Amino acid sequence: MVTDKKLRIYNSLTREVEEFTPNSGSKVFMYVCGPTVYDYMHLGHMKTYIFYDVLARYLTYKGYTVFFLMNITDVDDKIINRSVDRRILNLLKDSDRRISEIMNNLEIGLEYMKDRIIELVKSGYVEVAGITDLRKQLIELEKKMSLTEDEDEKRTLEEEYASLTDRLTSDSEIRISENGKKIIEELLARGSRLDPLGLAREFEEYFREDLLALKIITVTLFARASDFIPEIIEVARRLEEKGYAYDTVNALYFDSSKFEDYGKLSRVNPAREYRVYRIEPDPNKKNDADWALWRKIRKGYPKEPCWSSPWGLGRPGWHIEDTTIILRLLGSQIDIHGGAKELMFPHHEAEIAQAEAYTNIKPWVRSWIHTDVLTVNGKKMSKSLGNYITVRDALKVFDPEVLRYWVLLTRYRHRMDLVLPFDPDPLNPIKPEHLIETPIKQAEQGLERLYNVIRYARMMPKTEKNLPGTEEIRAKLQLAKKEFLDAMDDDFDTPKAIAALHDFATSLFKYCQENKEINKNLADEIVSVFRELGSILGILQKDIMKLDDQRIVELIKLIVDVRNKLRQKKEYALADEIREKLKNIGISLEDTPSGTRWYIS
């Protein structure tokens, strides 16, 4: 075991900042909860995954060999529900249908069918004949429920919501909306599968594409839950043998009362908190907080996907999937387990109970590292509030490095708020262009300022002379590097690390203005250090100039010269127009006391 006395990390289990002590010398075994692949990655997910990428990058920078495992949850009710939604739209695309007809076609019951129709109505994909403004009423009630903290008011709103859904019967006629027809036609045109595992593969691919776009490249291995069904069954069977699990008509449950340490990570009272976190209700459970290791196929619910087990046809529970994958691929004890803070209870508590009950090894995880959530105007990102925006949409407006930089301006275990100039809702959701008026735009400017350090070092006239202030700037560069690494060693304080780079930028810009040129060796050192430190954060890695044709370079210089002459003649409107048109094609101008500089942005 090696202790890194410099690197100190906040451990959610102990609630203390501790020296990092991996179990196997310089090898680090790290696991992060991956996505449930039924939809696109949104900005809240992005915040979490960017941080763990930086964590892995920094451990590698410090000389560790990191095995970074991430699961892919491809067996889950959310995936099955989305698959059923697609099949309902496919049935409706050519003609209206009664609910009973769709139920018979899909072999599902009325209560489950009503839930799916309601979700499709709220999404604006289907309409119910004879019930006007149903979508608007459902959305408004759901929004009120999400915002109120008064239990009596919430109960009243829930009763109103239930009365609306009760208007759906097996004889209700459903029709597809124009938006729903467009969606299903697009899905069929691109060959999207409608079955649950096919849908999961599709969104897994989108997830991996988004990771690559964001330069999240440190994951060693992705592991799908569906590839570990025999292992999951074996772990569940062993837990039952050891007395930690019991069989019921609906599921094989883990008995939370048998694990004395249950709740030690989140420090919550499971008997109370299960209500808050909506753990599945079942009168057959011994304790309210017990969870399913294996869920049997219920009458009226979708049958696929399912597998044979000692407890009958069914599917694994969510918690047991992650535990089994870790035990199978990383062993009985790991160094780091990461995930978003909202997974701490019940998901991570369940993982701990399962693993430590199975192995008798404590602690199962040496360091629990959790990221805090991203909110929008102070509210958690949610489709029900319409404040949900995907990474794909954000990338239509901002460069991936800008999104990374923006995320890292907030410390990973602090809440981050995206401030919008309006309050979105499902009837008026966030669009990509709305992001231009947010702090992400300011982050873009901050990142450009750091890129200007590299631009100045690359493009200013060079000299072999030791100019006044050169050694002082060289010392400040090394100080910036030390402050950057010290900040990263202090529980990954990325805002402080970035601030160290900006402090150096201020000194360098002053040096350049005073000298009009730069020492060649110093310039090379600056570029090297900024590239090196930037690589830890996944920024400052782009080429700042891609023009090879000297004739094009001379043409740009000519345009800049013409613009300067227009400014001397006080023809500012035309000069500004030239500047804006150059910017639109990716050539930015910067007017400085020593003249106009240009660069490829």
Side-chain angles (χ1 to χ4, degrees), residues 522-587:
L522 173 62
D524 292 342
E525 288 176 35
I526 290 169
V527 173
S528 176
V529 169
F530 265 59
R531 294 291 200 200
E532 174 188 337
L533 301 182
S535 69
I536 295 171
L537 305 181
I539 61 174
L540 303 177
Q541 301 305 298
K542 297 196 305 180
D543 292 334
I544 61 170
M545 184 175 175
K546 297 181 179 178
L547 295 180
D548 297 319
D549 193 330
Q550 186 60 34
R551 290 170 298 178
I552 296 177
V553 173
E554 292 302 323
L555 177 59
I556 295 173
K557 287 180 179 178
L558 176 60
I559 294 171
V560 170
D561 185 51
V562 170
R563 176 179 173 272
N564 286 336
K565 288 177 180 177
L566 288 170
R567 294 179 71 218
Q568 290 169 7
K569 293 179 180 180
K570 299 186 178 180
E571 295 185 27
Y572 298 119
L574 186 53
D576 289 344
E577 183 180 345
I578 291 173
R579 179 176 185 164
E580 284 306 307
K581 287 187 174 180
L582 287 174
K583 185 177 181 181
N584 289 340
I585 62 172
I587 300 167

Side-chain angles (χ1 to χ4, degrees), residues 60 136-137 147 159 218 225 252 292 294 302 392 432 465 533 544 555:
T60 302
K136 184 177 180 181
Q137 293 178 69
L147 296 177
E159 289 172 358
T218 51
L252 176 73
W294 188 263
R392 295 191 162 217
K465 294 185 296 184
L533 301 182
I544 61 170
L555 177 59

Side-chain angles (χ1 to χ4, degrees), residues 121 175 295 331 415 420 524 547 594:
V121 168
R175 68 173 62 98
R295 300 170 65 184
R415 182 160 295 195
L420 289 170
D524 292 342
L547 295 180
S594 58

Side-chain angles (χ1 to χ4, degrees), residues 161-306:
Y161 194 93
S163 69
L164 280 176
T165 62
D166 286 343
R167 295 180 65 184
L168 290 178
T169 70
S170 59
D171 288 330
S172 297
E173 191 170 87
I174 311 300
R175 68 173 62 98
I176 193 168
S177 69
E178 286 303 315
N179 200 23
K181 188 175 292 186
K182 180 182 176 183
I183 291 293
I184 191 63
E185 286 175 352
E186 288 177 353
L187 290 172
L188 296 175
R190 70 177 184 229
S192 295
R193 287 166 56 183
L194 306 182
D195 64 291
L197 286 178
L199 182 146
R201 295 292 175 270
E202 178 184 345
F203 280 103
E204 178 185 342
E205 185 63 28
Y206 296 149
F207 174 72
R208 290 177 183 244
E209 289 173 1
D210 289 345
L211 289 185
L212 286 176
L214 293 167
K215 305 297 186 284
I216 298 173
I217 55 174
T218 51
V219 180
T220 310
L221 181 66
F222 294 95
R224 296 175 183 146
S226 63
D227 290 337
F228 290 82
I229 300 299
E231 291 87 349
I232 290 169
I233 291 172
E234 174 56 28
V235 171
R237 188 192 61 77
R238 181 62 179 146
L239 288 172
E240 184 181 28
E241 283 181 357
K242 296 180 76 172
Y244 286 100
Y246 60 94
D247 193 12
T248 74
V249 65
N250 289 327
L252 176 73
Y253 284 110
F254 188 97
D255 188 344
S256 58
S257 67
K258 294 292 181 69
F259 188 74
E260 292 182 358
D261 289 340
Y262 187 60
K264 65 181 178 180
L265 176 66
S266 57
R267 313 279 176 92
V268 303
N269 178 354
R272 180 181 65 82
E273 291 295 327
Y274 91 95
R275 303 179 193 278
V276 178
Y277 288 87
R278 300 183 183 275
I279 295 176
E280 55 196 328
D282 184 344
N284 298 293
K285 293 199 297 186
K286 292 182 179 180
N287 311 288
D288 289 328
D290 296 351
W291 62 90
L293 300 174
W294 188 263
R295 300 170 65 184
K296 302 175 186 180
I297 301 300
R298 290 187 290 170
K299 185 178 180 180
Y301 284 76
K303 296 181 177 61
E304 297 297 332
C306 68

